């Protein structure tokens, strides 16, 4: 809890000069961001390695790294294409001594292997599955935090991708959904 408090303090300070999260979401940071991220652990309790695509402000990846800090066999890959967000993430990883690696680059170009690949507010499902494809093909389970339009996004994604998926209602907001994905392949070449 102390590490989460330190992270929230750094997030609030940094958010004043660099837009990491909507400022209106900070008063409810525990529910909107922390609990929303933390709930993923119960969906993959055996997972030791996580890859967070478009890690941004650290949701869910940095929260997961904090919660997994005492597991010596855990590791979280925080992948983002924007250097200034990576600097924020690296400062948090270093300052909290987390088992995490920050990668400044495009998610789909990384050679990371993980038990779970995740993302939050990165892209619509069709595009997100393209970013996650290399991880899913290497055996990862996809756990993606989505909003209330998740069902519509899945319909659109099925025009491009074949995949097995399930939807769960978010515990932090009944309008949110968690999309679990396995066995992804493209419907046809574009």
């Amino acid at each position: 809890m102390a590490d989460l408090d330190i992270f929230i303090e750094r997030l609030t300070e940094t958010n004043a000069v660099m837009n990491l999260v909507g400022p209106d979401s900070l008063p409810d940071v525990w529910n909107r961001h922390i609990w929303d991220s933390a709930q993923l652990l119960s969906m993959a309790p055996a997972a030791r390695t996580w890859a967070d695509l478009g890690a941004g402000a650290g949701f869910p990846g940095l929260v997961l790294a904090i919660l997994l800090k005492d597991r010596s066999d855990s590791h979280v890959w925080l992948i983002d294409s924007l250097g200034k967000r990576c600097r924020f993430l690296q400062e948090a990883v270093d300052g909290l001594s987390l088992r995490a690696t920050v990668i400044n680059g495009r998610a789909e170009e990384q050679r990371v292997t993980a038990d779970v690949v995740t993302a939050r507010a990165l892209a619509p499902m069709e595009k997100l599955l393209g970013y996650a494809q290399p991880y899913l093909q290497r055996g990862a389970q996809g756990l993606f935090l989505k909003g209330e339009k998740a069902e519509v996004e899945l319909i659109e994604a099925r025009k491009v991708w074949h995949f097995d998926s399930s939807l769960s209602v978010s515990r932090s907001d009944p309008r949110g959904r968690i999309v679990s994905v396995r066995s992804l392949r493209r419907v046809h070449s574009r």
Side-chain angles (χ1 to χ4, degrees):
M1 293 303 286
D3 284 350
L4 288 170
D5 283 333
I6 291 167
F7 167 56
I8 291 168
E9 184 179 313
R10 288 183 180 166
L11 173 69
T12 303
E13 290 170 2
T14 305
N15 207 59
V17 294
M18 177 174 62
N19 188 29
L20 292 167
V21 297
D24 59 326
S25 72
L26 284 174
D28 192 24
V29 70
W30 281 97
N31 191 55
R32 293 264 316 262
H33 300 298
I34 305 297
W35 174 230
D36 190 47
S37 299
Q39 68 182 319
L40 294 180
L41 286 178
S42 67
M43 298 189 76
R48 296 296 183 249
T49 56
W50 296 71
D52 182 13
L53 312 184
F59 305 114
L62 205 52
V63 172
L64 296 171
I66 291 169
L67 296 174
L68 293 167
K69 185 176 181 177
D70 291 335
R71 286 190 185 169
S72 62
D73 60 346
S74 71
H75 196 83
V76 178
W77 303 91
L78 302 163
I79 305 164
D80 201 284
S81 62
L82 193 59
K84 66 181 179 177
R85 287 193 298 246
C86 288
R87 284 188 292 280
F88 166 76
L89 294 168
Q90 191 64 60
E91 288 173 11
V93 167
D94 293 344
L96 296 170
S97 301
L98 301 177
R99 297 176 196 284
T101 301
V102 178
I103 299 173
N104 185 193
R106 296 188 53 79
E108 66 276 21
E109 296 173 356
Q110 306 311 311
R111 298 286 176 234
V112 172
T113 299
D115 298 324
V116 177
V117 60
T118 188
R120 179 176 184 247
L122 179 60
M125 282 304 299
E126 176 186 339
K127 193 174 226 177
L128 179 56
L129 290 173
Y131 299 149
Q133 182 181 22
Y135 306 86
L136 294 165
Q137 287 180 335
R138 288 190 290 272
Q141 173 187 7
L143 288 177
F144 305 111
L145 293 158
K146 301 301 285 179
E148 56 194 324
K149 295 182 180 169
E151 290 90 348
V152 173
E153 287 188 30
L154 285 170
I155 290 167
E156 290 301 309
R158 289 190 191 286
K159 294 175 182 175
V160 179
W161 302 100
H162 285 295
F163 55 95
D164 295 326
S165 67
S166 62
L167 268 177
S168 303
V169 175
S170 171
R171 291 189 226 158
S172 66
D173 183 342
R175 296 169 299 176
R177 299 288 181 268
I178 301 168
V179 180
S180 177
V181 175
R182 288 204 179 265
S183 70
L184 177 74
R185 65 181 172 82
R186 203 173 263 290
V187 170
H188 56 77
S189 298
R190 282 189 167 181

